[in-house]
Amino acid sequence: MTLVDKIVKLKKDKKAVVLAHNYQRPEIQDIADYVGDSIELSSKAMEEKEAEIIAFSAVDFMAESAAILNPNKKVLLPTLGARCPMAQMLTVDEIKRWKVLHPLVPVVLYVNTLASAKAYCDICCTSANAVEVIESLNAETVLFGPDRNLAEYVQRKTGKTIIPIPEWSFCPTHLLFQPEDVQILKMQYPDAVVMVHPECSFEMQKAADFIGSTSQMCRHARENNAKTFIVATEEGLLHRLRKDNSGKQFILAYEYAVCPNMKLNTLEKLYMALKEEKYVVTVPEPIAKKARKALEKMFELTNKS
Ligand code: 13P
Ligand code: SF4
């Protein structure tokens, strides 16, 4: 039996589903029951009824959100140390410090945060709905963390005052993209459409024809008639883009844009996770209860629109 066959068998025997983020290795995306961006995966996890186990092939905060939104399921993260470094940049103490400075200002947190941080916010957002979430608030000033680039993007889009908390935090992978690389690629592919994730710098965003979450990029590529796309996000997305769009060409704007934490998950680790039912992700209920409220508010808003 191949490793893939063994995983397929374990999924069936244990009533497990595999959810994989768009940045996962191709072989994991190919075996997953669902591949998506962070909002889609959270929504799938929340709505999952049949399965007893959700194997979440991604990083810590995504699996934590699944455990918060569907507390009756066993949520597994195949690699114990698969952490998003940006999520680590915003601590509870930091949020409390900013709340003291701006007691009447709402706190919006990107889902790329730990559950303990989410417990201290008014509402969560993802890169797919950040603008919508901020626009929905009856406030002209908002505390927003932890991605400074996303905060600036939202400020430009909404015209509201967005205070980034902490002052400077970022995704190390998306910071690798440089507009100079795009300029060089554009000389080679003048008709290419440039798609950029909002975690990239302002300079990169200025070079974009389209800015969106990973799955929004997939939709844009499908619906756009262009034949060539320059893509500024983690390299894993290119597998899905190529698979879904035969006949179109996708070029990574920076060859080495890899999220090392996302790539910690391998087929072997997924197999072991399903076999030994590890590593179970749990969030203490007092924290989960508050974080759930912030996540559910986001879903209520996005489902309404
Ligand atoms: P998406 O929600 O666009 O998939 O982004 C998640 C992420 O971690 C980007 O680095
Ligand atoms: Fe975190 Fe960046 Fe990796 Fe996304 S790509 S999981 S934001 S480090």
Side-chain angles (χ1 to χ4, degrees), residues 6-8 10-11 14-18 31 53-55 76 78 268-279:
K6 285 185 196 169
I7 293 173
V8 172
L10 272 176
K11 279 204 302 175
K14 298 207 173 195
K15 282 190 145 188
V17 284
V18 175
I31 205 174
I53 293 176
I54 299 173
L76 306 176
E268 286 77 9
K269 285 192 185 145
L270 179 59
Y271 166 68
M272 289 309 288
L274 288 166
K275 185 166 175 254
E276 295 182 2
E277 298 188 17
K278 66 180 186 185
Y279 298 92

Side-chain angles (χ1 to χ4, degrees), residues 21 23 37-38 61-62 110 112 127 174 197 199 213-214:
H21 187 261
Y23 297 160
D37 67 2
S38 42
F61 74 86
M62 295 188 186
Y110 192 24
N112 296 40
S127 54
H174 284 85
H197 197 278
E199 286 178 15
S213 79
T214 53

